[in-house]
Every structure is written in C-alpha cells, then in structure tokens.
Amino acid sequence: ISLLPASSGYDWGSYLKKHGYLAASVSSFRHAPLCAQWEDIEVGLRVEVLNAHSALMTKVYWIATIIRLAGYKALLRYEGFENDDSHDFWCNLGSAEVHPIGWCAVNSKLLVPPQALHNHITDWKSYLMKRLVGACTLPVDFHVKLAESMKYPFRQGVRVEVVDRSLVSRTRTAVVDTVIGGRLRLIYEDAGLGPTGEVLSDFWCHMWSPLMHPINWSVRVGHLIKETDKSVDMSSHPTFRKVFCDSVPRQFKKLRTVYVEGGFFEEGMKLEAIDPLNLGNICVATVRKVLLDGYLMVGIDGVEMGDGSDWFCYHASSHAILPPGYCQNNDIPLTLPPGYDQATFTWPKYLEETRSVAAPRRLFNSDPVGHGFAPGMKLEAVDLMEPRLVCVATVQCCVGRLLLLHFDGWESEFDQWVDCESPDIYPVGWCELTGYQLQPPIGPGTENVLKSANFIIFLRTKGASKPKQKM
Ligand code: MLZ
C-alpha cells in the first residue's frame, strides 16, 4: 500500500468538526512547544488575527474570539459576528498571524473589521469597548516562548548512536541530517548511497527518543554496536561534508536513576513487554541480559531467533516493560508464546513450567501518573514502525501510563502502545506548526475508500500470522 500524496496542510478543522471529535490538549504533551503556557489558553480568549476578508492592499488585522480548541488549532470568530458561526475559521495559534490584544497598537498595524461587517456596526470603538471588557488574551510573550521552545540542542553533523533498523539488538553510529520540531533524520555513517546519491538507510526519531544515545554509550553500558564499515564512501553526500561533532550525554534527556541495591533485574526473569516489532502487542518476555546503567536486553518468549539478534534494549524505568500479571489486572490482552492458550495460561503455571521467576514488581516504573488523555481524543503520532511518518491518530484506550493509539483509516494491526509522556506523540496542529509533513487518514473519510483500503491490508496479511514489520 502506498501512502496518499503527502499533504502539508491537512484540514484538521473539517475532520474534527464533521465528526465532532475532541483533540488532546497541548498541555498534555510535555515535550511540545508551549506546553507550559497552555494552561492559560482557553475558549473565550480574544486575539488579534490577520483579517483575511479585507480588500485592502496592506495586511490588516481584526479581533477574534476562540470558540473551540483542538491542540494548537483554534476555531476563531471575528468580533462582530456575534452568534453567526458561518464565518468561523480554524487557525493555528502558533502561526505568525495570531497575536495578543494590543499587538496592533504597539506595532502600528491597522485593525479593520471584515467587509461583511462594515455596514453592520457603525461605532466600532464603543462596540469593542463593551465586548472586550474583562476579556483575556494570549500572554504577551507567547511567540517569544514559542520560539524559545523550538530551539534544539542538535544540528546537522552531530554524531549519535541509534538503534540499527536492520538489526534491532544493536546500535549503529549515525549523523544528524535534518532537525524538524525536535525530530531528527539520522543517516547511518555507513548507510551507503544509491545511484542518484540517495541515502540507502536512515532513521527518524525524536531527540528524546529512548532509541538514541550519545557517542560511546554502547561500549559504556555493554550494548552491541555495529562497527562502521569504513569502506563505504559517504563523502559526496552534503551532510557528510560538514564538520562532525560527537554528541554528549548532556544533550540527551536524563533518565530516571535506578537503584540496584536490594536486588535488580536478573537474567532469566520473566516479565510482560511491548513487542518492539509489533507495538500493539504486550507479550510474555524474558530478561536476557543486564547491561550497565539500568539497561536490559529483553527477548519475547517463544518467537526468539535464538541468536540474540531480536533482543531489544529497554531501560528499567521504561513504560514498555511491565510486571507479570499487568495485562490481566488491567483487562488487556497478553500475547502468549505460540502454543499457549488464553483460556488456560496462568503466570504461576508458566513460571513453574519454564523454571523461572517473575521480575519483582517493585523494579518497575509504576509511578502513578495523571495525564490529560482520554479515549477518542485525536492527536498526531509517529508510526514507530516507519518513524518518518507522523500520522493522524486517536487514543483508543488508556491503561495506567500507557495509551493504545489507533491510526485513523488504518487497520487495528497498526495500533501501537505508547507511554503518555512519549516524545513521539504531538498535539493536533504540531506538524503545521513545525513544518513536518502530516500523513492524513487513508481514504479521506469516505466509507468506500476506507473499506477497500482495509481490504488490501487484509489481503496482505491474510494467511500468514501477523507479519513482523521491519523498523
Ligand atoms: N508501507 C506501509 C505504510 C504504513 C503506514 C501506516 N501508518 C499508520 C504499508 O503500506 O503497509
């Protein structure tokens, strides 16, 4: 299945309005620009916004009220239309055309009402005085804060260690090629170039992704790293003509410290873990190796290749590893090793059969967390199996810290569990704000297209058990 032609300006507004969808609030995304400022942003705020209905040659502005919020997007109504919603329009509050009240005065810009209102009200001055008494507006430093939160500690030419997409049990050295909204396009140092100079293997991740590390991390914690193939010549690629600079730990998000006194994870202990290659599945799993600094290599029971090539590194504080019994306690399906039956599987029996022990509960990061997500909320989320893609998505369900995400228009096969603080989920309007391309739902809302698309996926996956997808 190929994706729809990418659209840069996805019409979130019509999609939300047509179906009455809600969107998660910007304040629920700790890594998102303006997250801390968003508490003050609410329906009823007044802003000065470009007047798109003016016949004048110069840019003029008018006052509008926030009628509805969806992530960064606001449904605005120009002052004067009162209860008439027919001119309402969606606008990204992060865009350069929206300002706090008073901005026009300070910057010598004209406030001119939209043409449809010209004959409507004659004494604008007293009308506005009445309408604006006691009204709130955006914080004055809104755009300054926005600009500040969109500075990133990475730039082209910075070297990092990142998971090898062709062999997830090891890392590989890569160079930052592009930075958009804190997401990095990384090119493996020995990726190779195709006939037209195109990069043969790259990886996208957020700068706070747990899959990315500073240079020397792998050797330090004891993780396997692919030796860079020096015979591969990348020098004709513009990114590789830059002066390189090794990334250092302070450029990365600090992980929660784990205490190993009083016992830590040990090789052979059983747990439940999100399958790194099928992120919609929480599986029976085993600690295969304990690395330094609280990192673990985890294998999924019953489907392991046996050579360690499909082990995956999770930090002990990761949301992706859970104590045995977690799924049952929370009424969500646990994916069992082949040959086991949902009706008869019990953890105590399984531990006995496999002569193993459960990883103790206290070792897991079970901090209770309040978050603002609820089932049905819309957001923009990375398809972690193809991490270049940021897609229109819905929170399907919430379990503790975990959110099950569904990609609109795609089969549930593509659903993924993510942590509520994952840096790979963004508010509605984030792509527009940062200039990242958003993947719209396939089959833009029409039943037929949706059905046939599902059908194609069905054909693709029919027969075989769910195919493993490459990262
Ligand atoms: N190549 C993949 C793209 C899937 C993207 C889905 N994103 C939710 C496929 O066609 O299967």
Side-chain angles (χ1 to χ4, degrees):
I1 300 155
S2 55
L3 293 167
L4 280 184
S7 88
S8 49
Y10 176 63
D11 188 2
W12 262 116
S14 320
Y15 188 59
L16 296 169
K17 205 164 160 204
K18 184 162 161 211
H19 306 274
Y21 294 139
L22 284 181
S25 164
V26 173
S27 49
S28 300
F29 302 82
R30 291 222 306 212
H31 55 285
L34 295 173
C35 172
Q37 279 68 40
W38 217 259
E39 273 170 37
D40 302 328
I41 309 301
E42 53 191 27
V43 167
L45 283 194
R46 304 300 208 292
V47 296
E48 291 177 357
V49 61
L50 189 72
N51 173 356
H53 302 275
S54 146
L56 299 172
M57 294 300 282
T58 57
K59 271 190 183 177
V60 294
Y61 294 79
W62 190 236
I63 293 162
T65 307
I66 299 182
I67 301 293
R68 224 186 116 176
L69 278 167
Y72 291 108
K73 311 267 309 184
L75 186 65
L76 296 181
R77 185 174 306 165
Y78 287 123
E79 212 51 70
F81 283 120
E82 303 197 342
N83 290 326
D84 174 4
D85 63 6
S86 61
H87 295 83
D88 289 0
F89 60 102
W90 287 94
C91 182
N92 197 309
L93 290 181
S95 95
E97 302 297 9
V98 186
H99 303 277
I101 300 290
W103 179 86
C104 283
V106 172
N107 293 279
S108 315
K109 304 283 183 200
L110 290 178
L111 280 171
V112 177
Q115 254 175 336
L117 291 171
H118 280 188
N119 306 325
H120 193 67
I121 296 159
T122 42
D123 184 5
W124 278 108
K125 207 166 169 192
S126 58
Y127 179 83
L128 286 182
M129 288 294 248
K130 249 186 270 138
R131 294 279 303 175
L132 294 182
V133 164
C136 294
T137 188
L138 298 177
V140 265
D141 57 354
F142 192 70
H143 286 291
V144 176
K145 283 281 189 309
L146 176 62
E148 271 171 17
S149 62
M150 288 177 78
K151 284 189 209 142
Y152 307 105
F154 288 90
R155 56 159 181 82
Q156 198 180 51
V158 174
R159 298 172 73 233
V160 300
E161 293 179 8
V162 65
V163 68
D164 182 350
R165 60 184 289 167
S166 58
L167 194 66
V168 294
S169 58
R170 68 180 182 190
T171 53
R172 200 165 159 184
T173 311
V175 175
V176 175
D177 167 72
T178 315
V179 184
I180 308 177
R183 295 194 65 76
L184 313 176
R185 181 188 184 217
L186 303 169
I187 304 178
Y188 295 116
E189 267 186 336
D190 53 0
L193 299 175
T196 54
E198 80 278 13
V199 171
L200 294 180
S201 193
D202 66 353
F203 192 78
W204 278 90
C205 72
H206 189 272
M207 60 183 183
W208 290 353
S209 163
L211 304 178
M212 195 183 76
H213 307 278
I215 290 293
N216 287 329
W217 174 85
S218 302
V219 168
R220 193 167 50 80
V221 305
H223 194 283
L224 189 67
I225 183 162
K226 178 185 189 294
E227 207 181 309
T228 301
D229 181 349
K230 293 273 182 347
S231 68
V232 178
D233 182 16
M234 298 292 286
S235 61
S236 65
H237 190 277
T239 300
F240 288 81
R241 287 192 218 121
K242 287 279 166 334
V243 180
F244 293 144
C245 148
D246 287 354
S247 56
V248 293
R250 75 179 148 71
Q251 283 168 289
F252 295 77
K253 203 170 164 60
K254 222 175 126 46
L255 280 177
R256 192 185 137 100
T257 330
V258 292
Y259 297 95
V260 294
E261 297 95 66
F264 191 57
F265 285 97
E266 287 168 23
E267 210 174 293
M269 280 179 171
K270 298 288 180 194
L271 67 168
E272 296 179 6
I274 297 178
D275 179 347
L277 297 175
N278 279 304
L279 295 164
N281 293 352
I282 303 178
C283 305
V284 173
T286 306
V287 175
R288 287 300 176 197
K289 204 172 162 195
V290 179
L291 313 180
L292 290 186
D293 283 0
Y295 289 96
L296 314 168
M297 297 306 292
V298 172
I300 304 296
D301 282 22
V303 295
E304 278 184 59
M305 231 89 88
D307 57 0
S309 61
D310 47 7
W311 293 353
F312 198 71
C313 181
Y314 282 130
H315 191 256
S317 67
S318 165
H319 68 276
I321 54 170
L322 305 154
Y326 187 88
C327 285
Q328 197 191 357
N329 295 341
N330 289 284
D331 257 329
I332 49 174
L334 173 66
T335 304
L336 303 176
Y340 284 84
D341 184 356
Q342 294 289 352
T344 53
F345 178 91
T346 69
W347 265 110
K349 218 165 58 185
Y350 184 72
L351 292 173
E352 206 179 292
E353 271 169 38
T354 54
R355 293 207 190 87
S356 45
V357 294
R361 254 175 193 290
R362 63 178 169 80
L363 297 179
F364 293 86
N365 178 3
S366 54
D367 291 352
V369 65
H371 62 67
F373 297 100
M377 283 181 173
K378 297 289 170 189
L379 69 170
E380 299 180 359
V382 175
D383 177 348
L384 291 157
M385 288 295 128
E386 271 188 60
R388 179 179 55 87
L389 306 178
V390 178
C391 313
V392 169
T394 310
V395 176
Q396 192 78 10
C397 70
C398 307
V399 176
R401 305 183 55 99
L402 294 179
L403 314 176
L404 181 64
L405 298 183
H406 176 71
F407 294 101
D408 290 29
W410 293 87
E411 256 225 349
S412 58
E413 292 275 294
F414 291 90
D415 290 2
Q416 303 185 346
W417 286 103
V418 298
D419 186 62
C420 59
E421 289 177 4
S422 160
D424 293 303
I425 55 176
Y426 309 99
V428 162
W430 180 87
C431 280
E432 186 180 44
L433 179 68
T434 56
Y436 204 98
Q437 210 166 52
L438 177 66
Q439 305 297 322
I442 50 161
T446 67
E447 283 297 309
N448 283 341
V449 182
L450 210 63
K451 271 198 200 117
S452 65
N454 281 344
F455 182 57
I456 300 166
I457 298 167
F458 176 68
L459 282 182
R460 187 190 63 168
T461 57
K462 206 181 147 216
S465 60
K466 194 177 165 192
K468 288 234 162 179
Q469 297 169 47
K470 280 266 153 66
M471 288 190 78

